[in-house]
Amino acid sequence: QPVCGFNYGAREYKRVRQAFWFTVIVGFCVLVVCSAVSIAFAPEIIAIFRREDTQVIEIGALSLRLQCIAYPFTAFVVVSNMMLQTIGKPLKASVTAAARSGIFFIPAILILPQVLGLLGVQMSQAVADVCSLILTIPLTFSVLAEMKRQDSAQLARWAATILAQNGRKITPSTMNLFLERVGDDMENIRMELEKLISYTMGSEVVT
């Protein structure tokens, strides 16, 4: 959150996106390992709490395994919620925060047992997790896309400033084409701008 907040405030949107995906990937990998271990040793884990009750172990082991199938995807939901809070998107952050334990879990725990009996109880949290992921994806991707557009606009302004300092002007369409070709690495853009300034010697407008 500090990394996200600092870079978002500094308009370093690319770093925000990089930090977001790094955290999601690391979190997902860690949860996959934890889930795999929990699935493999589910009966033993449940037996820690009720070793003498085989029925509880059987029911609990299936519940734990169902939960672990969906558990790695909560990395995306949780990190998305943290990012949305940090960058000042309160409505989207509130929706993602309430989704897993409220918006989807409450209907799931009320409806699924009526349809599937005990299995409905066991799978309610896993179903809520999957539904939360489905809801969170468009909310988060819209913000990431917004930051990417802001990134492009910021690069365009920076490149135009360099050209102006060297007595050059550039049309918006030409700037978009230029950035599309050279990418978003600022050092590479600066080098290409130096070439462009040299090639257009004697011409005020870059076309």
Side-chain angles (χ1 to χ4, degrees), residues 180-198:
E180 186 180 311
R181 297 288 179 85
V182 302
D184 57 6
D185 183 86
M186 295 181 75
E187 186 60 34
N188 186 49
I189 292 173
R190 185 182 292 276
M191 292 172 56
E192 293 300 323
L193 284 173
E194 290 174 358
K195 295 178 187 177
L196 191 60
I197 292 166
S198 298

Side-chain angles (χ1 to χ4, degrees), residues 42-47 50-66 118-119 122:
E44 290 79 4
I45 294 172
I46 300 300
R50 289 294 294 270
R51 185 174 298 278
E52 73 284 355
D53 196 328
T54 57
Q55 189 174 14
V56 168
I57 293 174
E58 181 182 354
I59 294 171
L62 178 57
S63 299
L64 180 58
R65 283 169 171 155
L66 290 171
L118 178 59
L119 179 60
Q122 292 171 304

Side-chain angles (χ1 to χ4, degrees), residues 28-162:
F28 179 81
C29 291
V30 170
L31 292 180
V32 164
V33 173
C34 293
S35 295
V37 172
S38 298
I39 289 172
F41 298 100
E44 290 79 4
I45 294 172
I46 300 300
I48 294 173
F49 305 97
R50 289 294 294 270
R51 185 174 298 278
E52 73 284 355
D53 196 328
T54 57
Q55 189 174 14
V56 168
I57 293 174
E58 181 182 354
I59 294 171
L62 178 57
S63 299
L64 180 58
R65 283 169 171 155
L66 290 171
Q67 173 63 61
C68 287
I69 292 173
Y71 195 50
F73 299 109
T74 60
F76 183 86
V77 177
V78 172
V79 176
S80 294
N81 175 250
M82 293 169 64
M83 180 189 71
L84 293 170
Q85 287 183 52
T86 304
I87 65 175
K89 304 289 184 182
L91 179 58
K92 292 182 177 181
S94 298
V95 171
T96 57
R100 183 171 183 261
S101 301
I103 296 174
F104 293 115
F105 179 72
I106 293 174
I109 197 64
L110 291 175
I111 296 172
L112 291 178
Q114 303 296 323
V115 179
L116 301 173
L118 178 59
L119 179 60
V121 177
Q122 292 171 304
M123 67 188 300
S124 291
Q125 186 62 68
V127 170
D129 287 346
V130 172
C131 292
S132 298
L133 174 68
I134 294 171
L135 174 65
T136 303
I137 287 174
L139 294 177
T140 302
F141 273 69
S142 64
V143 173
L144 292 174
E146 178 185 334
M147 284 192 284
K148 192 170 185 179
R149 288 193 298 271
Q150 291 175 329
D151 254 346
S152 299
Q154 186 177 358
L155 284 173
R157 288 193 297 269
W158 174 71
T161 300
I162 294 177

